[in-house]
Amino acid sequence: MDELREDPVMAELIDEHGPLELEPADNEFRRLVVTIINQSISTASAAAVRERVFDLLEEVTPETVLEADEEALRDAGLGEAKTEYVRNAARAFQERDLTRAGLADESDEAVIDHLTEIRGIGAWTGRMYLIFVLGREDVFPIGDLAVRRGIESLYGEMTREEMHELAERWRPYRSIATRYLWAHYES
């Protein structure tokens, strides 16, 4: 990770926040549900919805999601679209091996392609899956608002192309750099 310290701004973040590691989720499906819940809402709202949905399901599995009453899922805060997306993900997990082991030999692009075949899962969710489920170290989720805001607060206003160029400095640890950007943005 010495590559990250070559960027003085990133070195400062590392000193400020200490070591941040990638810890792949124990339960791949549960983490995908979290990512779907997190789509397009604030961190605080997502946490509240997640708590209500997980209380309703008790155990988050494809089976419990598909067995749950759709209206109860919507009432817990998922809404109509996200209820559909979570149920689509549950069916996909039943039909295909989307686990860490099942995707281990796939490229990042192939994993995103597999996931985006599921209605309601886009590239952003695919990149979150690469980082938080598969523990891939070199993913740069430019579609994430907090990443872009973190970069702009630290480096100044930039286009997405300039952000991509900046992130090239962080290879092969762009996922770790992303964690530092999130830590900065949330602090």
Side-chain angles (χ1 to χ4, degrees):
M1 260 196 359
D2 289 339
E3 291 86 346
L4 293 181
R5 285 195 167 278
E6 291 175 14
D7 176 335
V9 173
M10 195 57 61
E12 209 171 289
L13 288 176
I14 292 168
D15 291 341
E16 180 182 341
H17 296 284
L20 296 177
E21 303 292 325
L22 290 183
E23 297 174 18
D26 293 335
N27 181 318
E28 294 96 331
F29 178 72
R30 179 184 170 104
R31 182 57 211 190
L32 182 57
V33 170
V34 167
T35 303
I36 291 169
I37 290 170
N38 290 350
Q39 292 172 353
S40 304
I41 62 175
S42 73
T43 303
S45 295
V49 171
R50 185 173 53 248
E51 184 177 328
R52 289 191 305 268
V53 169
F54 287 9
D55 284 348
L56 173 71
L57 297 174
E58 292 181 31
E59 184 181 5
V60 182
T61 67
E63 295 72 28
T64 60
V65 165
L66 292 171
E67 290 167 3
D69 180 69
E70 284 187 44
E71 190 173 324
L73 289 170
R74 288 193 299 271
D75 289 347
L78 279 184
E80 190 172 333
K82 286 188 182 180
T83 295
E84 176 193 345
Y85 302 162
V86 168
R87 292 170 68 84
N88 291 344
R91 282 188 283 280
F93 259 77
Q94 288 181 325
E95 296 165 4
R96 303 180 263 172
D97 188 357
L98 297 173
T99 64
R100 225 177 342 278
L103 297 172
D105 295 331
E106 300 280 350
S107 70
D108 291 352
E109 294 77 21
V111 169
I112 291 171
D113 287 346
H114 288 306
L115 292 170
T116 56
E117 290 173 3
I118 304 166
R119 180 170 155 70
I121 295 182
W124 177 85
T125 302
R127 286 186 179 83
M128 296 303 108
Y129 199 81
L130 289 168
I131 294 170
F132 291 110
V133 174
L134 303 183
R136 303 273 175 103
E137 292 185 330
D138 196 34
V139 178
F140 183 58
I142 188 68
D144 189 87
L145 180 62
V147 168
R148 293 192 313 272
R149 294 261 169 87
I151 288 172
E152 288 182 337
S153 112
L154 292 163
Y155 296 90
E157 196 169 315
M158 293 185 175
T159 65
R160 285 189 184 208
E161 184 178 316
E162 291 168 327
M163 290 179 188
H164 274 291
E165 289 172 17
L166 172 68
E168 287 300 310
R169 299 183 201 171
W170 306 327
R171 279 188 183 271
Y173 301 108
R174 292 181 299 170
S175 299
I176 306 284
T178 295
R179 297 240 14 241
Y180 283 105
L181 293 170
W182 282 325
H184 169 75
Y185 181 75
E186 292 170 1
S187 62

